């Protein structure tokens, strides 16, 4: 039975705004901004130049190493320009601007049905790798890397992450309702790739329809089991989810495979299914567009490269008092300074918040109330860490395990002094990494 | 221009009026671009998380003040004007000193965080009813200016401000600080009396052993608060109710009050078992003096007490041990204030040695 992890918070979820809306397919926009590097790890290398004609599914950037993944053209058309464009992560990133020719013509070898019953683990891994599949929950870690554990770290459980614990978002929820069979088929492929016959579909209890759907489909399926999870943020964080389901703790600084578990987002499983069964690389994803700032909230199937502006327009536009636009959810997402960013493989949602929904505070000194300690799912001391980071005492921050922070934001959510704790921790982690690089 | 106006609107629409949109500064600078969508120009950009549970420092202070109100009101009921006057002067002078200190130091106004009101109230509750006005003001000066603002204000003070105020007065003006009024309806009688701990000490000194009855009625009187003592310390039931309220609201945790009161009970109990003619009943020790007020409302002060659960227990037990040592072997009949202040000094050390293990800590 699912146990709870330590800490966590219970924010207002506001999921009802979009969760009842079926996935709508976004029509082809006038231009696509496709970032060359869309994964955690080594950046990908562009292989196209301005003026090139590209087909749908054609590789436009190749994986820049093992921990990297390739990027494909989401439609057929012409590369208008290559340059640095605003991206959802907040910095400008190199991207190709593709003007679609409207034909949506596939590159040779793609979009063909394939018999997946006899695929070997190695074949599955190379399909996943070639399709440029990354973790679609938002972390964008290349999936084929997760499917290649070292021999001495056997994995015995595959967890499908359908927790979707971020407030407002419902893209995974909708996908589980509308593409459940495909998700399960993708999951059994991934399980086969790592030779695991124990698959758990983890869904938070606030999605009873998705739980029911998955349960009805997995009845009689060998090895599959659906687990209804407590609704507590961050239930869907990898380490917390593994602990909730297996009772195993991922050792600090380690990967989930050290706890014998592989976690895959349900969207990633769907992408794996499409790649294997239909030979389609990862070209599109479901994006929840929601918040009181958007006129018509919904779940949009958008191509990678669709600009936020086009999506907002497709959803009826934004209201005048929209104060903040977030790529991702309100707990871990990144605030956007314009609508020029485009959907990447990790964009699970676009949340538009109005003035009265956004937390706007002046930050004050820590009063050591300790609320952050009671909610930190990593059992850290965010109060002390915040003070160390603020005073640039990074060595002490490291001693207090700042590197184990998962940046879930629970501490800052409950902080009565409204301290920008996550910002402090991100800074401290970056500084410590920089120093250890210098030293090493 | 239009953006600027909108920025101002946003500020005034904030909850509690406490928080100021620092992003206003961004919208004050006109963005120089060819064509800027006015809605986009005022997008807020800040680090995640983008939502908050809305609790503020001022909100927490309000809850603590609310939890203290029953005990404060009861003191007005039994000590009348002698209690009310001290409370009013204390809170008012604490606010004035907070304002003045911040003004002199050219720091932002801080009275809206509610901490000065709370310190003023707590100091009043730790003074004898009928304390002269100058005594109260001297106390709030040391509490607010010396103990708090000299160290940088809320969050930076190593010692509990209200207790610094009380202890400065106790060692400087022992006569005024030990003149007690007997309880009577609305304080009309104004007869002087002794505190239970004080009279026990006197009898021990005079007779060489304790001579006092401690029956069911005495316990009941102590629980209700029908005795002499500091303004806010007398009614155990109301202090306990306030404490349970704060625990239920998750403002404080049980660790410090339970370990503090529990260790006083256990240690005085051991002495009582050894020699009941010299050492009073542990229940008497627990119900008298400022133990409940101190353990629930003073020792739990966030800034000056440990932050980890284990640290809080260590802190509470340390407070208990020192309190008993002072009560049984010191020159003062009561030791709660000194005990908490001494443990305040140990707080950083306790925090360091009670660091929690990170989730997934490698054992090797």
């Amino acid at each position: 039975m699912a146990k709870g992890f330590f800490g966590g918070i219970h924010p207002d979820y506001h999921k009802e705004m979009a969760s009842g809306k079926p996935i709508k397919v976004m029509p082809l926009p006038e231009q696509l901004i496709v970032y060359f590097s869309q994964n955690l790890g080594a950046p990908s290398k562009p292989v196209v130049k301005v003026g090139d004609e590209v087909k749908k599914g054609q590789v436009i950037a190749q994986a820049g190493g093992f921990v990297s993944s390739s990027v494909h053209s989401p439609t057929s058309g012409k590369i208008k320009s290559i340059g640095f464009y605003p991206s959802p992560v907040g910095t400008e990133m190199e991207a190709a601007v593709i003007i679609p020719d409207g034909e949506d013509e596939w590159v040779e070898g793609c979009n063909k049905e394939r018999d997946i019953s006899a695929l070997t683990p190695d074949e599955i891994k190379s399909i996943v790798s070639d399709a440029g599949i990354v973790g679609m929950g938002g972390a964008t870690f290349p999936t084929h890397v997760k499917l290649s554990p070292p021999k001495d770290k056997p994995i015995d459980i595959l967890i499908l992450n359908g927790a979707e614990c971020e407030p407002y978002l419902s893209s995974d929820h909708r996908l589980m309702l509308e593409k459940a069979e495909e998700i399960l088929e993708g999951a059994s492929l991934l399980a086969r790739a790592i030779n695991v016959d124990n698959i758990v579909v983890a869904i938070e209890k606030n999605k009873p329809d998705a739980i029911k759907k998955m349960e009805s489909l997995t009845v009689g399926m060998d090895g599959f089991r659906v687990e209804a999870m407590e609704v507590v943020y961050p239930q869907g964080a990898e380490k917390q989810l593994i602990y909730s389901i297996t009772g195993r703790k991922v050792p600090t600084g380690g990967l989930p495979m050290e706890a014998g578990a592989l976690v895959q987002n349900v969207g990633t499983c769907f992408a794996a299914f499409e790649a294997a069964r239909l030979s389609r690389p990862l070209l599109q994803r479901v994006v929840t567009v929601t918040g009181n700032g958007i006129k018509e909230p919904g779940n949009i199937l958008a191509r990678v490269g669709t600009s936020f502006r086009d999506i907002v327009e497709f959803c009826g536009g934004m209201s005048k008092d929209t104060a903040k636009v977030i790529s991702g959810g309100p707990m871990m997402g990144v605030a956007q300074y314009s609508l020029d960013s485009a959907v990447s493989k990790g964009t699970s949602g676009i949340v538009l918040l109005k003035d009265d929904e956004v937390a706007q505070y002046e930050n004050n000194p820590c009063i050591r109330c300790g609320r952050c300690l009671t909610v930190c799912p990593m059992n850290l001391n965010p109060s002390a860490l915040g003070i160390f980071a603020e005073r640039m005492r990074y060595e002490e921050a490291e001693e207090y395990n700042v590197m184990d922070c998962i940046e879930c934001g629970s501490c800052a959510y409950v902080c009565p002094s409204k301290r920008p704790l996550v910002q402090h921790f991100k800074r401290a982690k970056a500084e410590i990494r920089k120093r250890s690089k210098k030293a090493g | 221009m239009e953006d600027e106006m909108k920025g101002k609107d946003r500020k005034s629409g904030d909850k509690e009026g406490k928080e100021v949109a620092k992003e206003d500064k961004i919208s004050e600078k006109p963005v120089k671009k060819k064509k800027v969508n006015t809605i986009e120009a005022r997008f807020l950009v800040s680090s995640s998380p983008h939502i908050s549970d809305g609790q503020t420092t001022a909100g927490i202070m309000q809850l603590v003040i609310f939890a203290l109100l029953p005990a404060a009101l009861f003191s007005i009921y039994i000590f009348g004007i002698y209690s009310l006057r001290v409370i009013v002067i204390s809170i008012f002078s604490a606010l004035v000193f907070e304002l003045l200190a911040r003004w002199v130091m050219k720091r932002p106004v801080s009275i809206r965080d509610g901490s000065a009101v709370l310190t003023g109230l707590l100091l009043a509750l730790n003074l004898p009813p009928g304390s002269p006005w100058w005594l109260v003001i001297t106390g709030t000066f040391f509490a607010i200016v010396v103990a708090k603002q000299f160290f940088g204000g809320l969050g930076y003070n190593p010692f509990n401000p209200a207790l610094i105020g009380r202890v400065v007065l106790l060692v400087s003006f022992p006569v005024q600080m030990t003149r007690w009024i007997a309880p009577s309806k609305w304080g009309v009688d104004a007869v002087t009396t002794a505190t239970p701990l004080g009279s026990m000490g006197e009898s021990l000194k005079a007779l060489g052993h304790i001579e006092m009855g401690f029956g069911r009625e005495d316990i009941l009187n102590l629980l209700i608060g029908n005795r002499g003592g500091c303004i806010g310390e007398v009614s155990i039931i109301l202090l306990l109710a306030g404490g349970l309220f704060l625990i239920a609201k998750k403002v404080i945790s049980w660790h410090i009050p339970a370990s503090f009161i529990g260790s006083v009970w256990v240690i005085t109990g051991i002495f009582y078992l050894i020699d009941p003619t010299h050492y009073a009943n542990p229940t008497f020790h627990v119900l008298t003096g400022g133990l409940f007020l101190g353990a629930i409302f003073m020792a739990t002060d966030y800034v000056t007490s440990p932050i980890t659960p284990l640290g809080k227990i260590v802190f509470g037990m340390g407070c208990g041990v020192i309190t008993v040592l002072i009560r049984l072997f010191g020159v003062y009949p009561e030791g709660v204030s000194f005990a908490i202040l001494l443990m305040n000094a140990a707080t950083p050390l306790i925090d360091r040695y009670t660091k929690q293990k990170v989730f997934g800590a490698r054992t090797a």
Side-chain angles (χ1 to χ4, degrees), chain B residues 100-112:
Chain B
L100 278 178
R102 301 289 283 194
W103 180 69
V104 169
M105 293 190 285
K106 298 191 173 69
R107 295 178 135 244
V109 177
S110 58
I111 50 168
R112 281 163 102 179

mmCIF file with all atom_site columns, all heavy atoms in Angstrom, chain B residues 100-112:
data_model
loop_
_atom_site.group_PDB
_atom_site.id
_atom_site.type_symbol
_atom_site.label_atom_id
_atom_site.label_alt_id
_atom_site.label_comp_id
_atom_site.label_asym_id
_atom_site.label_entity_id
_atom_site.label_seq_id
_atom_site.pdbx_PDB_ins_code
_atom_site.Cartn_x
_atom_site.Cartn_y
_atom_site.Cartn_z
_atom_site.occupancy
_atom_site.B_iso_or_equiv
_atom_site.pdbx_formal_charge
_atom_site.auth_seq_id
_atom_site.auth_comp_id
_atom_site.auth_asym_id
_atom_site.auth_atom_id
_atom_site.pdbx_PDB_model_num
ATOM 1   N N   . LEU B 1 100 ? 10.697 54.561 16.958 1.00 0.00 ? 100 LEU B N   1
ATOM 2   C CA  . LEU B 1 100 ? 11.821 55.475 17.161 1.00 0.00 ? 100 LEU B CA  1
ATOM 3   C C   . LEU B 1 100 ? 13.139 54.816 16.776 1.00 0.00 ? 100 LEU B C   1
ATOM 4   O O   . LEU B 1 100 ? 13.961 55.405 16.064 1.00 0.00 ? 100 LEU B O   1
ATOM 5   C CB  . LEU B 1 100 ? 11.883 55.918 18.634 1.00 0.00 ? 100 LEU B CB  1
ATOM 6   C CG  . LEU B 1 100 ? 10.946 57.056 19.025 1.00 0.00 ? 100 LEU B CG  1
ATOM 7   C CD1 . LEU B 1 100 ? 11.065 57.352 20.518 1.00 0.00 ? 100 LEU B CD1 1
ATOM 8   C CD2 . LEU B 1 100 ? 11.253 58.301 18.197 1.00 0.00 ? 100 LEU B CD2 1
ATOM 9   N N   . ALA B 1 101 ? 13.320 53.582 17.235 1.00 0.00 ? 101 ALA B N   1
ATOM 10  C CA  . ALA B 1 101 ? 14.589 52.902 16.976 1.00 0.00 ? 101 ALA B CA  1
ATOM 11  C C   . ALA B 1 101 ? 14.810 52.735 15.481 1.00 0.00 ? 101 ALA B C   1
ATOM 12  O O   . ALA B 1 101 ? 15.902 52.993 14.968 1.00 0.00 ? 101 ALA B O   1
ATOM 13  C CB  . ALA B 1 101 ? 14.610 51.545 17.677 1.00 0.00 ? 101 ALA B CB  1
ATOM 14  N N   . ARG B 1 102 ? 13.765 52.323 14.767 1.00 0.00 ? 102 ARG B N   1
ATOM 15  C CA  . ARG B 1 102 ? 13.910 52.128 13.331 1.00 0.00 ? 102 ARG B CA  1
ATOM 16  C C   . ARG B 1 102 ? 14.166 53.456 12.636 1.00 0.00 ? 102 ARG B C   1
ATOM 17  O O   . ARG B 1 102 ? 14.916 53.528 11.657 1.00 0.00 ? 102 ARG B O   1
ATOM 18  C CB  . ARG B 1 102 ? 12.651 51.470 12.745 1.00 0.00 ? 102 ARG B CB  1
ATOM 19  C CG  . ARG B 1 102 ? 12.315 50.117 13.340 1.00 0.00 ? 102 ARG B CG  1
ATOM 20  C CD  . ARG B 1 102 ? 13.286 49.057 12.927 1.00 0.00 ? 102 ARG B CD  1
ATOM 21  N NE  . ARG B 1 102 ? 13.074 48.586 11.570 1.00 0.00 ? 102 ARG B NE  1
ATOM 22  C CZ  . ARG B 1 102 ? 13.634 47.477 11.090 1.00 0.00 ? 102 ARG B CZ  1
ATOM 23  N NH1 . ARG B 1 102 ? 14.423 46.735 11.862 1.00 0.00 ? 102 ARG B NH1 1
ATOM 24  N NH2 . ARG B 1 102 ? 13.428 47.105 9.851  1.00 0.00 ? 102 ARG B NH2 1
ATOM 25  N N   . TRP B 1 103 ? 13.533 54.517 13.156 1.00 0.00 ? 103 TRP B N   1
ATOM 26  C CA  . TRP B 1 103 ? 13.701 55.836 12.550 1.00 0.00 ? 103 TRP B CA  1
ATOM 27  C C   . TRP B 1 103 ? 15.131 56.326 12.734 1.00 0.00 ? 103 TRP B C   1
ATOM 28  O O   . TRP B 1 103 ? 15.773 56.801 11.802 1.00 0.00 ? 103 TRP B O   1
ATOM 29  C CB  . TRP B 1 103 ? 12.694 56.801 13.180 1.00 0.00 ? 103 TRP B CB  1
ATOM 30  C CG  . TRP B 1 103 ? 12.777 58.189 12.623 1.00 0.00 ? 103 TRP B CG  1
ATOM 31  C CD1 . TRP B 1 103 ? 12.422 58.593 11.362 1.00 0.00 ? 103 TRP B CD1 1
ATOM 32  C CD2 . TRP B 1 103 ? 13.258 59.358 13.297 1.00 0.00 ? 103 TRP B CD2 1
ATOM 33  N NE1 . TRP B 1 103 ? 12.643 59.941 11.215 1.00 0.00 ? 103 TRP B NE1 1
ATOM 34  C CE2 . TRP B 1 103 ? 13.151 60.442 12.390 1.00 0.00 ? 103 TRP B CE2 1
ATOM 35  C CE3 . TRP B 1 103 ? 13.748 59.596 14.577 1.00 0.00 ? 103 TRP B CE3 1
ATOM 36  C CZ2 . TRP B 1 103 ? 13.534 61.736 12.726 1.00 0.00 ? 103 TRP B CZ2 1
ATOM 37  C CZ3 . TRP B 1 103 ? 14.123 60.884 14.914 1.00 0.00 ? 103 TRP B CZ3 1
ATOM 38  C CH2 . TRP B 1 103 ? 14.017 61.946 14.001 1.00 0.00 ? 103 TRP B CH2 1
ATOM 39  N N   . VAL B 1 104 ? 15.653 56.188 13.953 1.00 0.00 ? 104 VAL B N   1
ATOM 40  C CA  . VAL B 1 104 ? 17.021 56.632 14.235 1.00 0.00 ? 104 VAL B CA  1
ATOM 41  C C   . VAL B 1 104 ? 18.006 55.833 13.390 1.00 0.00 ? 104 VAL B C   1
ATOM 42  O O   . VAL B 1 104 ? 18.971 56.367 12.864 1.00 0.00 ? 104 VAL B O   1
ATOM 43  C CB  . VAL B 1 104 ? 17.338 56.470 15.742 1.00 0.00 ? 104 VAL B CB  1
ATOM 44  C CG1 . VAL B 1 104 ? 18.831 56.664 16.002 1.00 0.00 ? 104 VAL B CG1 1
ATOM 45  C CG2 . VAL B 1 104 ? 16.523 57.451 16.555 1.00 0.00 ? 104 VAL B CG2 1
ATOM 46  N N   . MET B 1 105 ? 17.739 54.533 13.230 1.00 0.00 ? 105 MET B N   1
ATOM 47  C CA  . MET B 1 105 ? 18.672 53.686 12.487 1.00 0.00 ? 105 MET B CA  1
ATOM 48  C C   . MET B 1 105 ? 18.425 53.740 10.981 1.00 0.00 ? 105 MET B C   1
ATOM 49  O O   . MET B 1 105 ? 19.062 53.012 10.220 1.00 0.00 ? 105 MET B O   1
ATOM 50  C CB  . MET B 1 105 ? 18.582 52.243 12.981 1.00 0.00 ? 105 MET B CB  1
ATOM 51  C CG  . MET B 1 105 ? 19.074 52.081 14.405 1.00 0.00 ? 105 MET B CG  1
ATOM 52  S SD  . MET B 1 105 ? 19.252 50.368 14.893 1.00 0.00 ? 105 MET B SD  1
ATOM 53  C CE  . MET B 1 105 ? 17.560 49.902 15.131 1.00 0.00 ? 105 MET B CE  1
ATOM 54  N N   . LYS B 1 106 ? 17.471 54.573 10.570 1.00 0.00 ? 106 LYS B N   1
ATOM 55  C CA  . LYS B 1 106 ? 17.137 54.727 9.145  1.00 0.00 ? 106 LYS B CA  1
ATOM 56  C C   . LYS B 1 106 ? 16.815 53.385 8.496  1.00 0.00 ? 106 LYS B C   1
ATOM 57  O O   . LYS B 1 106 ? 17.308 53.030 7.429  1.00 0.00 ? 106 LYS B O   1
ATOM 58  C CB  . LYS B 1 106 ? 18.289 55.400 8.392  1.00 0.00 ? 106 LYS B CB  1
ATOM 59  C CG  . LYS B 1 106 ? 18.596 56.805 8.878  1.00 0.00 ? 106 LYS B CG  1
ATOM 60  C CD  . LYS B 1 106 ? 19.561 57.498 7.917  1.00 0.00 ? 106 LYS B CD  1
ATOM 61  C CE  . LYS B 1 106 ? 19.772 58.949 8.259  1.00 0.00 ? 106 LYS B CE  1
ATOM 62  N NZ  . LYS B 1 106 ? 20.518 59.175 9.515  1.00 0.00 ? 106 LYS B NZ  1
ATOM 63  N N   . ARG B 1 107 ? 15.983 52.622 9.189  1.00 0.00 ? 107 ARG B N   1
ATOM 64  C CA  . ARG B 1 107 ? 15.560 51.340 8.624  1.00 0.00 ? 107 ARG B CA  1
ATOM 65  C C   . ARG B 1 107 ? 14.059 51.391 8.372  1.00 0.00 ? 107 ARG B C   1
ATOM 66  O O   . ARG B 1 107 ? 13.371 52.235 8.933  1.00 0.00 ? 107 ARG B O   1
ATOM 67  C CB  . ARG B 1 107 ? 15.902 50.207 9.606  1.00 0.00 ? 107 ARG B CB  1
ATOM 68  C CG  . ARG B 1 107 ? 17.392 50.081 9.776  1.00 0.00 ? 107 ARG B CG  1
ATOM 69  C CD  . ARG B 1 107 ? 17.760 49.018 10.749 1.00 0.00 ? 107 ARG B CD  1
ATOM 70  N NE  . ARG B 1 107 ? 18.847 48.219 10.189 1.00 0.00 ? 107 ARG B NE  1
ATOM 71  C CZ  . ARG B 1 107 ? 18.741 46.938 9.878  1.00 0.00 ? 107 ARG B CZ  1
ATOM 72  N NH1 . ARG B 1 107 ? 17.618 46.297 10.078 1.00 0.00 ? 107 ARG B NH1 1
ATOM 73  N NH2 . ARG B 1 107 ? 19.767 46.292 9.383  1.00 0.00 ? 107 ARG B NH2 1
ATOM 74  N N   . PRO B 1 108 ? 13.566 50.487 7.532  1.00 0.00 ? 108 PRO B N   1
ATOM 75  C CA  . PRO B 1 108 ? 12.139 50.543 7.205  1.00 0.00 ? 108 PRO B CA  1
ATOM 76  C C   . PRO B 1 108 ? 11.252 50.359 8.446  1.00 0.00 ? 108 PRO B C   1
ATOM 77  O O   . PRO B 1 108 ? 11.639 49.659 9.385  1.00 0.00 ? 108 PRO B O   1
ATOM 78  C CB  . PRO B 1 108 ? 11.933 49.384 6.223  1.00 0.00 ? 108 PRO B CB  1
ATOM 79  C CG  . PRO B 1 108 ? 13.270 48.842 5.924  1.00 0.00 ? 108 PRO B CG  1
ATOM 80  C CD  . PRO B 1 108 ? 14.280 49.440 6.820  1.00 0.00 ? 108 PRO B CD  1
ATOM 81  N N   . VAL B 1 109 ? 10.100 51.001 8.412  1.00 0.00 ? 109 VAL B N   1
ATOM 82  C CA  . VAL B 1 109 ? 9.144  50.875 9.515  1.00 0.00 ? 109 VAL B CA  1
ATOM 83  C C   . VAL B 1 109 ? 8.727  49.414 9.665  1.00 0.00 ? 109 VAL B C   1
ATOM 84  O O   . VAL B 1 109 ? 8.451  48.739 8.681  1.00 0.00 ? 109 VAL B O   1
ATOM 85  C CB  . VAL B 1 109 ? 7.904  51.747 9.233  1.00 0.00 ? 109 VAL B CB  1
ATOM 86  C CG1 . VAL B 1 109 ? 6.860  51.566 10.330 1.00 0.00 ? 109 VAL B CG1 1
ATOM 87  C CG2 . VAL B 1 109 ? 8.315  53.205 9.126  1.00 0.00 ? 109 VAL B CG2 1
ATOM 88  N N   . SER B 1 110 ? 8.711  48.924 10.904 1.00 0.00 ? 110 SER B N   1
ATOM 89  C CA  . SER B 1 110 ? 8.463  47.493 11.074 1.00 0.00 ? 110 SER B CA  1
ATOM 90  C C   . SER B 1 110 ? 7.304  47.195 12.022 1.00 0.00 ? 110 SER B C   1
ATOM 91  O O   . SER B 1 110 ? 7.068  46.044 12.353 1.00 0.00 ? 110 SER B O   1
ATOM 92  C CB  . SER B 1 110 ? 9.732  46.820 11.608 1.00 0.00 ? 110 SER B CB  1
ATOM 93  O OG  . SER B 1 110 ? 10.098 47.425 12.831 1.00 0.00 ? 110 SER B OG  1
ATOM 94  N N   . ILE B 1 111 ? 6.585  48.236 12.474 1.00 0.00 ? 111 ILE B N   1
ATOM 95  C CA  . ILE B 1 111 ? 5.577  47.938 13.500 1.00 0.00 ? 111 ILE B CA  1
ATOM 96  C C   . ILE B 1 111 ? 4.425  47.099 12.967 1.00 0.00 ? 111 ILE B C   1
ATOM 97  O O   . ILE B 1 111 ? 3.709  46.470 13.734 1.00 0.00 ? 111 ILE B O   1
ATOM 98  C CB  . ILE B 1 111 ? 5.007  49.211 14.158 1.00 0.00 ? 111 ILE B CB  1
ATOM 99  C CG1 . ILE B 1 111 ? 4.560  50.209 13.103 1.00 0.00 ? 111 ILE B CG1 1
ATOM 100 C CG2 . ILE B 1 111 ? 5.994  49.846 15.111 1.00 0.00 ? 111 ILE B CG2 1
ATOM 101 C CD1 . ILE B 1 111 ? 3.721  51.343 13.690 1.00 0.00 ? 111 ILE B CD1 1
ATOM 102 N N   . ARG B 1 112 ? 4.286  47.043 11.634 1.00 0.00 ? 112 ARG B N   1
ATOM 103 C CA  . ARG B 1 112 ? 3.148  46.287 11.118 1.00 0.00 ? 112 ARG B CA  1
ATOM 104 C C   . ARG B 1 112 ? 3.361  44.784 11.168 1.00 0.00 ? 112 ARG B C   1
ATOM 105 O O   . ARG B 1 112 ? 2.433  44.025 10.929 1.00 0.00 ? 112 ARG B O   1
ATOM 106 C CB  . ARG B 1 112 ? 2.851  46.713 9.684  1.00 0.00 ? 112 ARG B CB  1
ATOM 107 C CG  . ARG B 1 112 ? 2.083  48.026 9.658  1.00 0.00 ? 112 ARG B CG  1
ATOM 108 C CD  . ARG B 1 112 ? 2.172  48.625 8.303  1.00 0.00 ? 112 ARG B CD  1
ATOM 109 N NE  . ARG B 1 112 ? 0.938  48.404 7.555  1.00 0.00 ? 112 ARG B NE  1
ATOM 110 C CZ  . ARG B 1 112 ? 0.761  48.863 6.323  1.00 0.00 ? 112 ARG B CZ  1
ATOM 111 N NH1 . ARG B 1 112 ? 1.713  49.526 5.725  1.00 0.00 ? 112 ARG B NH1 1
ATOM 112 N NH2 . ARG B 1 112 ? -0.368 48.633 5.685  1.00 0.00 ? 112 ARG B NH2 1
#
